[in-house]
Amino acid sequence: MRRAHLLGLGFMTPALFIIVFLFLAPVVLTMMFSFTNMSSGTGISSGGAYEVTERTIRLLKDQGFPETTADRLAEDTYKIDAAGLAAVQADFGKAFAQEIEAELSGKSFAGRRDLERELKRLKERPRSTRDLKKAADLFKRSILNTRFETEQAFLTSVDELDLGLGETETAELTRTAYTGWVWTTENYRLIASLPSTLRAAGNTLIYVSFTLAFSIGFGLFLAVTTFYLPSGVATTFRTIWFLPRILPPVIYVMMWKWMAWDTGFLSSFLAHFGVPPRNWMLHSDINAWVVVVLINGFVGASLGMILFSSAIKAIPETMLHASEVDGANRLQQIRYIIMPQLRWPILFTTAYQTLSLLTSFDYIYLSTDGGPGKATEVWALYTFHTALNNYGGVLQYGLGAALAMVLVVIGIAAALIYLRLFNFNDLVAKPRIEQ
Amino acid sequence: MRIALENFTKTFGETTVIDNMSLTIDSGEMLALLGPSGCGKSTTLFAVCGIHRMDGGRLLFGERDVTTLPSQQRNVGVVFQNYALYPHMTVHENIAFPLKVRRENRADIARKVEKIAGLVQIGELMARRPAQLSGGQQQRVALARALVREPDILLLDEPLANLDAKLRLEMRSEIRRIQQETGITAVLVTHDQVEAMSMCDRIAIMNRGEIVQLSSPSEMYDNPSSDFVAGFLGNPPIAFLDGTTEEGGFRLANSRVTLPIPSNLAIAGSGVPMRLGVRPEFFQPGNPLKVTGKVSFVEIQGREELYDVTLENGAVLRSIQPHGGNHKLGDEVTWGIAQDRILAFGPDGSRL
Amino acid sequence: MRPNFRIWPILVLLSILSLPLVLMYFYLVVDTVTDTTAGSLLPDRFTLEHWKFLFEKPETGRASIWPVTANTFLFASSTSLIVVMISLTAGYALSRLNMPFRKFFLGGILTLHAFPTVTLIIAIFLMLQMSGLYNTLIGVILVKTALELPLGIWIMKGFYDTVPWEIEMAGITDGASRFTVWWKLVLPQVQPGIAALALFSFLEAWKEFILPQVLAPSGASQVLATYLQNTIMDDRKPDFNLFKSIGLFYALPVILIYVVFNRKLMNIYGGGTKG
């Protein structure tokens, strides 16, 4: 290894360090998470316990578990077994215990009352009703809301309930009762089958295509028109249209809210023409889409305007003068002189914006947050909602990670295509000093 | 110091740019590497100063083998085409830089900088920045910076290419003066034959990664080893006549015109392709070996006049004559060639 | 400019299209010092009421703005500093130094640039929770730095690419080491690039909303973006005059930087995003 190699790697080290820990590690972790069912319920540390809760029972029923059996899981069962008998012997004496064993051994009861009735018939029973209840309670076996640290302990307790579960049902119960996370490909199956992912994909398509068309078209319009204006006026307009890009998104969207909300400027203005006030941002799906496309489109047009303007400025003055001398009118000049020069910047902007629109969601999150309903929830926002910002309660890290992986794959694929498209090999000319 | 390049080979990826080249530069000599762009002359220069690694061969500075030595330890001074002055430093700081990185003491640095500044005559510019200097002044600063640490060899990469015509003339003699005053071994890389001929003791003319001929300027002009060398040197350039050998002479292609060939040549036989080179100063009205053609181009240069004469088969001869000839475009003229100055080349371009 | 073309139709068209934005900007400023009667379009009273938040602790349990501003400044300037420092060395290595995997690194940087926040944020959220950096400014700074880094390195590489090779060649034949060449000869040439990248990263961090919102939602490490958004979301009855005052206060550094360093920034906003 030559010394310059060491210097080069040394110079790269800080960057590599950050990239490995904050880019590669998260991507690898995301990939791993996407194959788990991690959520805020399971936690993220490995290992979990077995516990049947109300939620477990609900889930079991949803999965087609026999309803009555599921309900039984929630109820107390009274089972005459050795452990209970021993407890009775300790508290109420050997005689009572032996009598119970003789009369009721092996039986189980679905409720305390049934057991109490049986116990009342026994001769050696305690006299007070309170003691009788206490004795009955010694046979109570319940698994509801009890944590079992091992699968073995859990299954033993389930057995005690005498539910008569088959093998598949036992497995299903065990899986559902597990509180930790497990490896699974379920997330990808869900992505393929859930109607909400399909809707998010459709929304993304609408969002990207309309916003892209608007930014490129309007960016071109701004670049070309300001080119023909005196420089002072042009600068003014360019500043007006550049600000959306440079202003913090929170402020920019706040201004839109001021414009569009039911107490906002637009409603107040239209009230003069008898239009009742309404929230123009969220009143209907169409309203929401228009706002979403405009909010993002203005920002996109800013970028387009800047890139196209500098490309137009690079056209030699003489070429434009020549076209005028040749008698071209303004439209012809735009069509035949300016547009051909913009082919490359347009291609670049389209490529760049497609990718960034596909994955950006800040402006939507701040404005409609996917509403009304989920009408404007794009894939990235859907991912974000699923994993990190879910008002429904449980944050589904695993599913969110799987949704994010889809974007990662698209991102890498697009980046590789762009590297070819934009002549990557030209960018990596070898260093001219060969040390 | 004597510089020797032995069996130097350089490849870029798959392509071999220079294959097995050897070259020796004598101590105190100024040698030109002359050739068209892409001939490998800059590559050679970069290899000598250590910016490029050598893929084969050895490089000797005197007796010292510097082949694998990094540039920093070679003690070479380089003047680049665009001078490569450090824009954020004053002239003084620029010149002092090589001494500073060698950690010489301040008094020494000040003394040496002043001395070299006097030599290249920029004493009054020391506080300026490169952007405030004219092209010629920048050139002098670059020279001073290259020379201040008393290098074993001075390398000049197209040093005059960025100057206007008048400054170029002035700097040509300046560089030569400075080189001779310091007695330093120098290599000049250029594509301009006038520069090479006027400034250097010897010229190595290069083509496609090879040294085609290495000799003094006048020797190379009078005795080119190939038609490439003959065509490269001389302005206006030499004119070539293609044809074949014939009993007792040379027959111009597609024509009945025959010329005797120089008497010192042994002819290989009849019908062999051959090429004759005639320099413009040897095609004059007064010379004996007459050829007839039409004046097809006239350029009045003031002191001299340049004519192209198209022969009946379409071949063109060039003539340069003192002012006052008054030949017009389309005139039919019969001028003569100086027979003993004809250069004859074989089918592969080598001198016969 | 071109006399045989009429300018006014363009002017009128552009003015109409720009009207919504102009109205937004106009009222953003005017509403902070005036009151408007409900239903009316034009303000009718001058007041400094809306700027009270600068001096008094707000009654609604919101934090005072100054610690939040300090947080934001710390966040933006640290991010900018780290991005610039790391890009300075990495950009140089990619632009000028021979090293193994150079092409791979270059492609990698470009590919990483295509990685959006949302693909990383889930894992980062969990990583920060595990490492105890969740809800701290340091965590947000690190993550924002990482996300800005690929673009920063690429921009810096672009600036290094414009430095003539001959300057470095002259440096090494003058006897300077590659490190000295970089430090003494090349760095001074890319100073405008350093300034532009520093300003650009500062602005990007100053504007950032999603990262602090997700990774440091608690009060102590709040920044202006989350502070303003929370204020907007908190109020049952939106008080746009207050929002705008806070907003204008928040936007002031951005506008200031834009006005003063317009040309430097355009270096990046104009061409730097390439790649």
Side-chain angles (χ1 to χ4, degrees):
Chain A
M1 179 134 334
R2 298 203 304 276
R3 282 185 58 196
H5 282 183
L6 288 179
L7 184 66
L9 290 177
F11 268 39
M12 283 301 290
T13 305
L16 288 177
F17 190 78
I18 288 210
I19 284 167
V20 166
F21 280 95
L22 290 161
F23 260 105
L24 297 187
V27 170
V28 171
L29 280 179
T30 307
M31 186 154 28
M32 283 167 56
F33 292 158
S34 75
F35 287 102
T36 71
N37 63 348
M38 262 184 216
S39 68
S40 49
T42 66
I44 47 176
S45 51
S46 61
Y50 297 85
E51 185 175 8
V52 173
T53 61
E54 295 291 346
R55 185 170 163 270
T56 320
I57 291 163
R58 215 170 43 239
L59 282 174
L60 280 171
K61 287 182 185 167
D62 290 348
Q63 290 164 19
F65 201 78
E67 291 236 353
T68 46
T69 321
D71 284 334
R72 281 285 307 280
L73 281 169
E75 289 164 11
D76 297 339
T77 297
Y78 293 82
K79 184 171 166 59
I80 312 303
D81 57 7
L85 289 169
V88 169
Q89 184 170 341
D91 286 4
F92 299 97
K94 199 170 179 183
F96 185 39
Q98 277 173 347
E99 194 182 6
I100 297 174
E101 188 177 6
E103 297 287 324
L104 302 170
S105 181
K107 289 195 175 158
S108 52
F109 306 88
R112 190 168 64 185
R113 199 160 298 166
D114 297 345
L115 177 60
E116 276 175 33
R117 202 180 308 124
E118 292 294 322
L119 289 182
K120 268 183 195 153
R121 284 201 225 113
L122 299 180
K123 288 197 215 72
E124 303 289 341
R125 67 174 195 273
R127 293 305 137 194
S128 78
T129 323
R130 225 186 47 160
D131 280 349
L132 197 70
K133 283 186 199 292
K134 243 170 98 185
D137 270 348
L138 292 172
F139 293 101
K140 184 168 111 179
R141 296 293 175 264
S142 166
I143 58 166
L144 190 68
N145 297 330
T146 310
R147 269 177 82 88
F148 298 92
E149 292 305 325
T150 63
E151 187 176 353
Q152 192 55 49
F154 176 68
L155 286 178
T156 312
S157 302
V158 172
D159 272 348
E160 286 174 357
L161 296 181
D162 273 342
L163 298 173
L165 296 175
E167 214 164 278
T168 48
E169 283 163 334
T170 311
E172 193 176 355
L173 174 61
T174 315
R175 202 179 59 237
T176 317
Y178 186 62
T179 62
W181 54 269
V182 292
W183 298 104
T184 170
T185 52
E186 186 70 0
N187 298 319
Y188 289 98
R189 206 186 54 75
L190 277 177
I191 290 179
S193 64
L194 279 182
S196 50
T197 54
L198 190 66
R199 197 205 44 234
N203 283 345
T204 310
L205 191 69
I206 299 175
Y207 165 64
V208 173
S209 44
F210 278 86
T211 310
L212 191 64
F214 182 88
S215 349
I216 301 287
F218 196 60
L220 264 179
F221 172 80
L222 287 173
V224 171
T225 47
T226 52
F227 175 70
Y228 283 111
L229 292 179
S231 72
V233 187
T235 309
T236 310
F237 278 113
R238 288 207 191 108
T239 306
I240 290 174
W241 285 98
F242 182 63
L243 277 174
R245 182 165 169 77
I246 205 175
L247 278 179
V250 180
I251 299 173
Y252 173 63
V253 173
M254 184 256 286
M255 298 195 304
W256 276 88
K257 286 176 174 167
W258 166 79
M259 185 62 101
W261 274 4
D262 45 8
T263 52
F265 186 84
L266 198 58
S267 289
S268 305
F269 178 71
L270 290 176
H272 292 282
F273 304 96
V275 180
R278 60 156 141 162
N279 187 336
W280 291 92
M281 198 176 268
L282 290 168
H283 183 79
S284 69
D285 292 5
I286 299 288
N287 281 163
W289 272 117
V290 169
V291 169
V292 163
V293 168
L294 287 182
I295 286 182
N296 287 282
F298 279 22
V299 177
S302 280
L303 177 70
M305 173 185 76
I306 294 160
L307 293 178
F308 301 150
S309 287
S310 53
I312 296 178
K313 259 190 215 135
I315 300 174
E317 272 284 289
T318 47
M319 209 160 134
L320 293 163
H321 289 314
S323 74
E324 277 164 41
V325 174
D326 290 346
N329 66 25
R330 190 180 306 192
L331 281 177
Q332 286 168 327
Q333 192 174 55
I334 293 169
R335 168 79 182 75
Y336 295 108
I337 309 290
I338 293 179
M339 289 309 282
Q341 297 286 324
L342 292 181
R343 202 173 296 153
W344 194 243
I346 289 174
L347 185 63
F348 169 77
T349 314
T350 309
Y352 180 85
Q353 293 247 60
T354 313
L355 200 54
S356 61
L357 283 175
L358 207 56
T359 53
S360 74
F361 61 97
D362 332 24
Y363 290 107
I364 307 184
Y365 173 68
L366 286 168
S367 55
T368 65
D369 196 15
K374 305 214 157 185
T376 54
E377 190 182 51
V378 295
W379 193 280
L381 186 59
Y382 177 54
T383 307
F384 180 70
H385 279 157
T386 306
L388 296 174
N389 195 299
N390 184 342
Y391 294 114
V394 185
L395 303 180
Q396 294 169 280
Y397 305 136
L399 180 58
L403 289 167
M405 278 317 284
V406 175
L407 291 178
V408 170
V409 170
I410 295 178
I412 293 180
L416 292 180
I417 294 173
Y418 296 165
L419 287 188
R420 296 214 66 148
L421 195 62
F422 294 103
N423 274 335
F424 179 60
N425 283 327
D426 291 355
L427 298 173
V428 291
K430 283 197 101 125
R432 285 177 57 197
I433 296 179
E434 299 180 342
Q435 284 202 340
Chain B
M1 186 170 290
R2 182 172 167 277
I3 310 292
L5 204 51
E6 298 174 354
N7 303 320
F8 165 47
T9 299
K10 177 73 201 170
T11 56
F12 288 118
E14 299 288 292
T15 38
T16 302
V17 185
I18 289 172
D19 193 14
N20 240 344
M21 178 180 123
S22 294
L23 174 68
T24 305
I25 305 146
D26 295 329
S27 188
E29 176 187 44
M30 183 148 175
L31 178 121
L33 285 176
L34 175 67
S37 60
C39 71
K41 56 191 193 297
S42 290
T43 308
T44 309
L45 178 119
F46 281 154
V48 171
C49 69
I51 288 169
H52 283 175
R53 278 177 305 135
M54 292 165 63
D55 294 306
R58 292 206 306 161
L59 176 63
L60 300 174
F61 281 16
E63 296 305 310
R64 197 163 62 121
D65 186 339
V66 297
T67 312
T68 54
L69 220 55
S71 198
Q72 288 92 336
Q73 295 164 32
R74 283 196 192 182
N75 200 24
V76 290
V78 187
V79 174
F80 293 91
Q81 176 172 350
N82 60 9
Y83 319 130
L85 298 180
Y86 311 132
H88 58 292
M89 296 183 183
T90 62
V91 167
H92 184 278
E93 288 165 332
N94 260 285
I95 302 174
F97 184 78
L99 304 176
K100 234 182 202 161
V101 295
R102 278 177 176 70
R103 304 225 156 69
E104 294 197 15
N105 74 52
R106 248 173 212 214
D108 280 353
I109 294 179
R111 190 174 42 77
K112 288 184 184 175
V113 170
E114 197 174 328
K115 186 172 153 235
I116 201 79
L119 178 70
V120 300
Q121 301 168 352
I122 47 166
E124 73 287 1
L125 306 172
M126 299 305 273
R128 296 215 199 152
R129 282 181 198 277
Q132 299 164 304
L133 302 178
S134 71
Q137 289 168 332
Q138 290 188 30
Q139 169 87 82
R140 287 171 190 268
V141 176
L143 261 172
R145 190 181 63 188
L147 290 171
V148 70
R149 85 201 88 143
E150 290 161 10
D152 293 339
I153 182 169
L154 175 67
L155 303 172
L156 303 146
D157 184 13
E158 303 268 11
L160 304 174
N162 284 12
L163 296 176
D164 61 48
K166 190 163 158 279
L167 264 175
R168 200 175 299 171
L169 222 65
E170 176 191 325
M171 286 314 294
R172 223 151 71 186
S173 49
E174 271 297 281
I175 291 175
R176 181 61 166 164
R177 172 184 68 81
I178 291 163
Q179 186 263 333
Q180 280 172 332
E181 272 179 39
T182 52
I184 192 170
T185 311
V187 175
L188 170 76
V189 162
T190 180
H191 65 273
D192 181 345
Q193 44 108 9
V194 180
E195 255 171 64
M197 292 176 68
S198 60
M199 292 168 73
C200 294
D201 300 308
R202 283 196 301 160
I203 297 175
I205 191 160
M206 292 184 71
N207 192 26
R208 299 208 193 96
E210 281 175 18
I211 294 180
V212 186
Q213 188 174 1
L214 174 62
S215 50
S216 72
S218 55
E219 169 69 10
M220 190 171 275
Y221 187 77
D222 293 339
N223 265 321
S225 68
S226 68
D227 58 348
F228 172 78
V229 177
F232 210 85
L233 296 189
N235 185 29
I238 195 167
F240 288 110
L241 301 174
D242 288 309
T244 49
T245 53
E246 201 183 65
E247 200 61 39
F250 167 88
R251 177 187 284 278
L252 201 57
N254 307 320
S255 137
R256 278 172 292 113
V257 179
T258 55
L259 296 168
I261 26 179
S263 44
N264 54 347
L265 276 187
I267 299 168
S270 180
V272 182
M274 188 158 102
R275 194 164 211 217
L276 297 187
V278 181
R279 294 205 182 273
E281 60 270 35
F282 303 128
F283 179 50
Q284 300 290 337
N287 287 343
L289 202 59
K290 296 293 182 201
V291 185
T292 302
K294 255 189 191 148
V295 175
S296 57
F297 175 77
V298 181
E299 187 178 297
I300 311 293
Q301 290 181 339
R303 186 161 43 85
E304 283 156 340
E305 282 154 17
L306 178 65
Y307 300 103
D308 280 7
V309 176
T310 305
L311 308 185
E312 63 168 66
N313 73 332
V316 176
L317 280 177
R318 232 167 257 126
S319 173
I320 187 154
Q321 298 174 12
H323 178 60
N326 274 332
H327 304 287
K328 299 266 174 330
L329 203 64
D331 286 357
E332 189 165 285
V333 292
T334 302
W335 292 339
I337 300 170
Q339 186 182 352
D340 50 342
R341 306 310 290 264
I342 293 177
L343 303 167
F345 303 96
D348 60 346
S350 63
R351 181 80 182 283
L352 294 173
Chain C
M1 184 169 160
R2 256 156 275 284
N4 52 342
F5 294 145
R6 275 172 314 173
I7 279 169
W8 66 263
I10 295 183
L11 214 54
V12 171
L13 188 61
L14 263 181
S15 304
I16 292 171
L17 289 170
S18 306
L19 195 64
L21 276 180
V22 172
L23 278 174
M24 285 183 194
Y25 301 147
F26 175 76
Y27 280 96
L28 174 66
V29 177
V30 167
D31 278 356
T32 64
V33 289
T34 57
D35 270 327
T36 308
T37 312
S40 161
L41 288 179
L42 290 172
D44 44 20
R45 313 180 279 288
F46 174 83
T47 174
L48 286 174
E49 179 86 354
H50 311 305
W51 287 96
K52 253 191 348 204
F53 71 91
L54 286 181
F55 311 104
E56 312 175 351
K57 208 169 154 48
E59 62 281 6
T60 48
R62 262 196 334 265
S64 159
I65 190 121
W66 293 107
V68 178
T69 311
N71 274 348
T72 319
F73 187 78
L74 193 63
F75 170 46
S77 45
S78 317
T79 305
S80 166
L81 188 70
I82 305 176
V83 167
V84 167
M85 285 198 315
I86 298 182
S87 305
L88 270 185
T89 55
Y92 184 68
L94 289 176
S95 171
R96 291 292 158 97
L97 295 176
N98 281 298
M99 61 182 164
F101 313 120
R102 181 165 169 272
K103 201 169 166 176
F104 173 77
F105 286 152
L106 271 169
I109 296 283
L110 276 180
T111 315
L112 288 185
H113 182 38
F115 271 79
T117 317
V118 70
T119 57
L120 301 173
I121 200 166
I122 299 169
I124 285 176
F125 172 76
L126 299 178
M127 281 168 71
L128 290 189
Q129 284 199 327
M130 283 189 262
S131 62
L133 288 175
Y134 181 68
N135 245 334
T136 64
L137 215 47
I138 297 179
V140 188
I141 290 171
L142 281 178
V143 175
K144 184 63 182 168
T145 304
L147 288 171
E148 287 298 311
L149 204 52
L151 181 61
I153 294 176
W154 194 251
I155 289 172
M156 220 47 235
K157 175 193 175 291
F159 282 113
Y160 281 124
D161 285 346
T162 63
V163 177
W165 267 106
E166 281 78 6
I167 289 206
E168 289 188 59
M169 292 175 175
I172 64 165
T173 52
D174 280 348
S177 68
R178 284 309 289 270
F179 185 84
T180 309
V181 166
W182 171 68
W183 184 250
K184 289 237 169 104
L185 301 183
V186 179
L187 274 190
Q189 317 303 320
V190 293
Q191 254 167 16
I194 299 175
L197 180 61
L199 288 170
F200 177 79
S201 331
F202 183 89
L203 282 184
E204 286 301 301
W206 186 266
K207 288 152 61 176
E208 180 63 44
F209 166 71
I210 292 285
L211 290 180
Q213 167 86 351
V214 173
L215 302 178
S218 87
S221 42
Q222 235 183 154
V223 293
L224 283 169
T226 48
Y227 180 86
L228 175 57
Q229 179 64 8
N230 291 341
T231 309
I232 296 173
M233 298 312 283
D234 268 358
D235 279 24
R236 292 286 101 208
K237 218 171 148 322
D239 176 1
F240 273 105
N241 297 73
L242 175 66
F243 302 163
K244 285 180 175 174
S245 307
I246 300 177
L248 195 60
F249 174 76
Y250 172 31
L252 227 46
V254 179
I255 297 168
L256 213 65
I257 289 176
Y258 173 71
V259 170
V260 177
F261 300 104
N262 187 0
R263 194 154 303 166
K264 276 206 167 84
L265 273 175
M266 280 305 160
N267 254 340
I268 290 181
Y269 279 104
T273 40
K274 277 176 191 148

